[in-house]
C-alpha cells in the first residue's frame, strides 16, 4: 500500500483517513471474518461503551427511510471492563490506531469508562455526548455548559487524544464544538444521527420499539457537510467528518469542507465491500489530481 | 479470503402463488451453504438490504434460490427483476439448522416459514434422518412446494386455516397430536412469531422446562427480525435469550441465529 493517503493526526499515524463509525462495526470481528481484513482501515473504532453492560432497546430497532435508515439500538454493549478484556486485544493487534467510543449518563459514568480505558494501550477516546437513543446521553451534547463540564472532567484523567462526538440536534454545533475545545478536547467528530421517526399507518404506531431513533445514511450528508464546515471554521482542533459517506467522492467533499479524517457508518453496514473500494478509488483520485498529501485538500473549499 | 459478497445474475423468476415468487441466482464462485442460512439482497433504490431464507441451492450449478412474498415496496421492486439482471448479494449468512445424522426430525412450518426448511429437510434426509413434515398454510392456494417436501419426508401432514387442503387447524396442534407416534429427537420450525409462542406454551411449562410427555426432544426455531446489516455489526435485530448457563442477553438474529434453541428464547411482552 502506498503512503499517499497517510494522515498524521493527534500524534497518531493513520494509513488512510477512513475510520468505521461507532455502532456500525461492533468490535470489528464480524467484518474481519466475513468481508475484508480490518487492518485496511486508517483507524478503528469500538461500539459505544458504557460503565456497565446494557441490553439496549426493544425491537424493532431499525426502520428504512428514503435514502437512509433510522436506528434505536440503545447502546447495547457488554460494558467497559468486558470490552477491555475481550475486544480491545483484537482491535489493537491490527496495527491501526484504536478509538474507544465512551458513553455515559452522568459525568461520573464518563469518568469511570475513561478511567478504565486510560489504564490500557488504547490509542484515543471518542467521547460520545450525542447518542439520541439513551435517556441522558443527548442532554450533555445539546448544552454547551454540560459539554464543557464533562469534557473538562474527562480531560483531567486522560492523556490520550480526546475527540468529542457531537449531535446535529442543536441550533449551533459550532457553539458546542467551541465549548469542547475550551475544555481541552483534541478533536471534534460529527455528526451523530439526526433525531427522527417512522410511522406505520396500519397500526398507527411508531415503527421503532423505542418510538423514535436516529437518522443516518445518504439522506443526512448535506446536513453533515454544512455542520462539519461550520465547526471547522469555529475551532482550531482537527475535525472528523461523518454522515452519509458512500464513496470516495463523499470523502473528498468532507475533506474540502474541513474534515481531517472521516468515518463511515451506515454504508459499512449495507455495503461492507465499498470500504476497500473507496480506499482504492481515493488513492487513484489523488494520483490523477497530483495530490501528494490529503492536507492539500482539507478545508480547501473555495 | 472470499468475502461473503456476490454479484449474481438472475436466471429465473417464477410466481409460486399470486403473491409469492421464487428467484434463482447464478453465481460465478459458490460458497459452502448450510441449510437454514439466509442471503441479504440489495434491492435497487432501497437503502437497506432484504434478508431471505435460502430455499434451494446447488453447488454443482452454482445457483441459489429464495422465495419471497410481496409485502412492501422492496419486495414489489424485487419482483420486477428480469432474467439477466445482476443483483448484489451478501451470503451465506446466519448459523443455519443443526446438522445431524440418523435421527427422527419433525419439520414444522407456518406460511412462508417453509422456505428455509426445504433445504433443511433435504439435507436431513440425505444424512439418513427420518423427516416428518408438518406444513401449515392459510388455504389451498397458499399451499406450495408440497411435492418437494414430500420427496424428502417419510410423512407430510398439511394443515390449513380453512381446511381447504389437509386438516383444518394449526400445525402446532398437529405436531402435539402426532408426537407420540413420531417421537422426534428434534423439531425444526419456522413461521410467524405467534407460532413460536404457541410452540413454547405447548412444549414448555411456565418455568421453562420441557413438559414430561415431550422428554427427549429438542426444538430449534428460525426467527425473523428487521435487520440492518445481516452480519452482526449493527445489533439491530435483537432477540432476548436466556441460556442454560443463566446468561441473559440480547442475541442477534442475523448471526447468533436465525436458528435458536426454543428453550433459550424469551418472548418479551
Amino acid at each position: 500500500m502506498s503512503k499517499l493517503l497517510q494522515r498524521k493526526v493527534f500524534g497518531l499515524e493513520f494509513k488512510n483517513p477512513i475510520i468505521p463509525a461507532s455502532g456500525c462495526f461492533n468490535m470489528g470481528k464480524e467484518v474481519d471474518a466475513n468481508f475484508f481484513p480490518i487492518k485496511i482501515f486508517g483507524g478503528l473504532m469500538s461500539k459505544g461503551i458504557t460503565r456497565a453492560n446494557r441490553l439496549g432497546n426493544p425491537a424493532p430497532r431499525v426502520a428504512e427511510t428514503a435514502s437512509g435508515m433510522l436506528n434505536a439500538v440503545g447502546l447495547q454493549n457488554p460494558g467497559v471492563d468486558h470490552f477491555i478484556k475481550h475486544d480491545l486485544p483484537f482491535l489493537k493487534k491490527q496495527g491501526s490506531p484504536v478509538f474507544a467510543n465512551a458513553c455515559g449518563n452522568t459525568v461520573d459514568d464518563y469518568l469511570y469508562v475513561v478511567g478504565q480505558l486510560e489504564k490500557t494501550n488504547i490509542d484515543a477516546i471518542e467521547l460520545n455526548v450525542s447518542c439520541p437513543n439513551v435517556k441522558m446521553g443527548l442532554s450533555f451534547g445539546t448544552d454547551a455548559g454540560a459539554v464543557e463540564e464533562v469534557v473538562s472532567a474527562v480531560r483531567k484523567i486522560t492523556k490520550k487524544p480526546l475527540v468529542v462526538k457531537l449531535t446535529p440536534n442543536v441550533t449551533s454545533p459550532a457553539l458546542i464544538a467551541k465549548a469542547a475545545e475550551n475544555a481541552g478536547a483534541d478533536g471534534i467528530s460529527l455528526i451523530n444521527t439526526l433525531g427522527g421517526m417512522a410511522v406505520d399507518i396500519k397500526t398507527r404506531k411508531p415503527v421503532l420499539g423505542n418510538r423514535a431513533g436516529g437518522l443516518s445514511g445518504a439522506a443526512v450528508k448535506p446536513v453533515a457537510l454544512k455542520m462539519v464546515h461550520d465547526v471547522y471554521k469555529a475551532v482550531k482542533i482537527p475535525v472528523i467528518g461523518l454522515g452519509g459517506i458512500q464513496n470516495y467522492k463523499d470523502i473528498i467533499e468532507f475533506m474540502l469542507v474541513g474534515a481531517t479524517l472521516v468515518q463511515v457508518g451506515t454504508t459499512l453496514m449495507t455495503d461492507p465491500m465499498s470500504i476497500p473500494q473507496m480506499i482504492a478509488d481515493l488513492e487513484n483520485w489523488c494520483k490523477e489530481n497530483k495530490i501528494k498529501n490529503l492536507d492539500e485538500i482539507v478545508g480547501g473549499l473555495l | 479470503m472470499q468475502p461473503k459478497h456476490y454479484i449474481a445474475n438472475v436466471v429465473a423468476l417464477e410466481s409460486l402463488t399470486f403473491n409469492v415468487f421464487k428467484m434463482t441466482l447464478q453465481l460465478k464462485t459458490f460458497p459452502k451453504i448450510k441449510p437454514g442460512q439466509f442471503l441479504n439482497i440489495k434491492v435497487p433504490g432501497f437503502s437497506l438490504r432484504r434478508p431471505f431464507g435460502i430455499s434451494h441451492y446447488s453447488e454443482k450449478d452454482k445457483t441459489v434460490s429464495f422465495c419471497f412474498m410481496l409485502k412492501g415496496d422492496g419486495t414489489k421492486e424485487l419482483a420486477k427483476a428480469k432474467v439477466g439482471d445482476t443483483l448484489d448479494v451478501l451470503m451465506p449468512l446466519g448459523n443455519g439448522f443443526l446438522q445431524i445424522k440418523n435421527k427422527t426430525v419433525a419439520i414444522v412450518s407456518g406460511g412462508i416459514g417453509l422456505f428455509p426448511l426445504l433445504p433443511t429437510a433435504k439435507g436431513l434426509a440425505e444424512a439418513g434422518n427420518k423427516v416428518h413434515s408438518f406444513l401449515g398454510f392459510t388455504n389451498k392456494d397458499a399451499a406450495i412446494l408440497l411435492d418437494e417436501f414430500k420427496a424428502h419426508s417419510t410423512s407430510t401432514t398439511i394443515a390449513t386455516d380453512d381446511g381447504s387442503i389437509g386438516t383444518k387447524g394449526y400445525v402446532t396442534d398437529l405436531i402435539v397430536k402426532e408426537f407420540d407416534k413420531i417421537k422426534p429427537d428434534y423439531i425444526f420450525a419456522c413461521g410467524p412469531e405467534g407460532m413460536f409462542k404457541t410452540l413454547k406454551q405447548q412444549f414448555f411449562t411456565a418455568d421453562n422446562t420441557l413438559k414430561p410427555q415431550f422428554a427427549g426432544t429438542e426444538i430449534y426455531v428460525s426467527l425473523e427480525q428487521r435487520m440492518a446489516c445481516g452480519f452482526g455489526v449493527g445489533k439491530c435485530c435483537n432477540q432476548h435469550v436466556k441460556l442454560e448457563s443463566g446468561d441473559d442477553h440480547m442475541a442477534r438474529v442475523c448471526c447468533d441465529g436465525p436458528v435458536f434453541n426454543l428453550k433459550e428464547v424469551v418472548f418479551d411482552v
Side-chain angles (χ1 to χ4, degrees):
Chain A
M1 198 177 288
S2 88
K3 294 184 174 177
L4 210 49
L5 302 182
Q6 262 186 0
R7 316 288 296 133
K8 190 160 183 188
V9 194
F10 315 123
L12 301 168
E13 306 261 0
F14 298 80
K15 56 175 94 73
N16 61 58
I18 304 170
I19 304 170
S22 182
C24 303
F25 187 57
N26 198 17
M27 303 298 187
K29 287 173 186 160
E30 295 83 359
V31 170
D32 198 72
N34 293 311
F35 297 104
F36 57 85
I38 59 167
K39 63 179 183 213
I40 71 169
F41 277 107
L44 296 167
M45 176 69 69
S46 79
K47 179 162 173 53
I49 300 168
T50 50
R51 182 175 196 149
N53 170 52
R54 278 179 62 93
L55 290 178
N57 288 328
R61 292 175 170 185
V62 62
E64 186 174 58
T65 64
S67 301
M69 62 173 272
L70 286 163
N71 90 82
V73 173
L75 292 178
Q76 180 184 337
N77 83 96
V80 63
D81 296 318
H82 186 280
F83 164 75
I84 289 169
K85 192 165 171 212
H86 297 280
D87 300 307
L88 182 57
F90 173 76
L91 289 168
K92 275 299 294 179
K93 191 171 82 180
Q94 308 301 326
S96 298
V98 180
F99 290 76
N101 182 277
C103 312
N105 282 335
T106 63
V107 173
D108 216 42
D109 285 347
Y110 282 104
L111 287 174
Y112 180 83
V113 173
V114 175
Q116 294 301 93
L117 292 166
E118 187 64 16
K119 295 183 235 166
T120 71
N121 59 355
I122 199 151
D123 299 287
I125 312 283
E126 179 176 67
L127 206 65
N128 184 349
V129 295
S130 49
C131 180
N133 296 323
V134 295
K135 284 205 177 69
M136 297 290 287
L138 195 57
S139 63
F140 276 102
T142 52
D143 182 305
V147 167
E148 195 152 348
E149 185 195 348
V150 68
V151 175
S152 301
V154 168
R155 179 74 287 173
K156 288 195 186 83
I157 65 158
T158 181
K159 291 192 173 62
K160 296 182 191 287
L162 179 64
V163 174
V164 180
K165 185 171 182 180
L166 300 186
T167 174
N169 302 311
V170 292
T171 313
S172 169
L175 214 72
I176 312 277
K178 281 204 74 85
E181 183 182 38
N182 290 338
D186 298 301
I188 301 290
S189 55
L190 78 164
I191 59 174
N192 205 322
T193 54
L194 280 153
M197 216 178 177
V199 174
D200 183 330
I201 61 168
K202 274 190 207 144
T203 61
R204 302 192 178 191
K205 286 179 181 171
V207 174
L208 294 172
N210 199 42
R211 299 186 72 84
L215 181 67
S216 64
V220 310
K221 196 186 82 175
V223 177
L225 281 171
K226 178 177 186 298
M227 289 185 168
V228 167
H229 193 49
D230 289 348
V231 168
Y232 171 73
K233 287 185 292 183
V235 299
K236 294 187 178 67
I237 50 181
V239 180
I240 303 178
L242 70 150
I245 292 177
Q246 291 186 300
N247 54 48
Y248 79 100
K249 288 182 281 188
D250 295 335
I251 296 174
I252 296 163
E253 289 177 30
F254 271 92
M255 297 192 103
L256 284 171
V257 300
T260 297
L261 297 168
V262 296
Q263 296 179 4
V264 182
T266 303
T267 297
L268 175 55
M269 294 202 286
T270 56
D271 273 306
M273 293 309 290
S274 64
I275 300 292
Q277 187 68 50
M278 58 180 95
I279 295 172
D281 290 346
L282 187 60
E283 183 159 344
N284 282 336
W285 182 84
C286 286
K287 282 179 191 156
E288 282 167 15
N289 290 275
K290 301 192 168 43
I291 303 288
K292 300 231 159 28
N293 185 312
L294 286 168
D295 282 338
E296 294 169 37
I297 65 163
V298 173
L301 190 72
L302 298 176
Chain B
M1 172 176 66
Q2 169 64 52
K4 289 187 178 176
H5 174 251
Y6 297 86
I7 303 299
N9 271 311
V10 179
V11 289
L13 179 62
E14 54 194 294
S15 56
L16 301 181
T17 74
F18 78 98
N19 68 347
V20 175
F21 291 79
K22 176 184 173 188
M23 183 179 279
T24 302
L25 303 172
Q26 176 81 56
L27 277 62
K28 287 193 184 72
T29 57
F30 205 76
K32 193 91 199 136
I33 294 175
K34 282 196 287 182
Q37 287 188 304
F38 69 96
L39 51 76
N40 207 7
I41 194 158
K42 188 192 259 188
V43 183
F46 292 83
S47 39
L48 294 181
R49 289 171 184 267
R50 283 0 187 219
F52 299 106
I54 292 169
S55 64
H56 305 72
Y57 60 91
S58 164
E59 221 170 299
K60 183 169 73 73
D61 301 333
K62 298 190 174 72
T63 57
V64 60
S65 306
F66 62 97
C67 304
F68 60 98
M69 181 180 269
L70 299 182
K71 285 247 180 165
D73 296 336
T75 42
K76 275 180 201 151
E77 185 63 30
L78 195 57
K80 290 183 196 158
K82 300 268 178 289
V83 169
D85 285 356
T86 55
L87 288 169
D88 181 312
V89 189
L90 305 182
M91 65 171 272
L93 301 173
N95 57 357
F97 280 100
L98 282 183
Q99 290 175 298
I100 48 180
K101 281 181 187 166
N102 306 318
K103 300 280 185 188
T104 299
V105 185
I107 294 279
V108 179
S109 88
I112 55 173
L114 85 166
F115 301 130
L117 291 170
L118 183 59
T120 306
K122 181 171 185 273
L124 288 169
E126 285 168 1
N129 298 284
K130 200 174 266 186
V131 177
H132 297 277
S133 295
F134 294 83
L135 313 177
F137 304 97
T138 50
N139 56 44
K140 187 171 186 284
D141 294 335
I144 47 178
L145 304 180
L146 301 184
D147 290 340
E148 293 190 50
F149 267 95
K150 282 177 186 164
H152 310 305
S153 308
T154 304
S155 74
T156 304
T157 310
I158 317 285
T160 49
D161 296 352
D162 64 357
S164 53
I165 183 173
T167 308
K168 183 176 177 174
Y170 294 121
V171 275
T172 43
D173 293 326
L174 286 180
I175 177 66
V176 168
K177 209 175 119 203
E178 300 291 313
F179 189 90
D180 270 346
K181 246 188 266 172
I182 304 169
K183 293 216 181 318
D185 301 298
Y186 294 91
I187 297 173
F188 289 173
C190 187
E193 195 184 14
M195 187 182 109
F196 300 134
K197 287 180 175 167
T198 304
L199 283 175
K200 185 95 174 182
Q201 282 166 2
Q202 283 174 324
F203 282 84
F204 293 88
T205 60
D207 68 353
N208 203 33
T209 51
L210 200 62
K211 290 180 183 172
Q213 65 267 39
F214 304 119
T217 196
E218 280 184 48
I219 307 173
Y220 288 86
V221 293
S222 179
L223 304 184
E224 185 174 54
Q225 186 52 269
R226 280 173 190 266
M227 293 178 184
C229 59
F231 52 91
V233 294
K235 296 198 175 181
C236 291
C237 54
N238 56 310
Q239 172 61 49
H240 189 183
V241 297
K242 193 169 181 181
L243 308 184
E244 292 277 14
S245 61
D247 181 9
D248 193 0
H249 70 279
M250 286 293 179
R252 297 161 294 183
V253 171
C254 69
C255 65
D256 300 318
V259 178
F260 292 89
N261 188 335
L262 183 60
K263 187 176 167 51
E264 297 175 341
V265 176
V266 181
F267 294 108
D268 295 309
V269 251

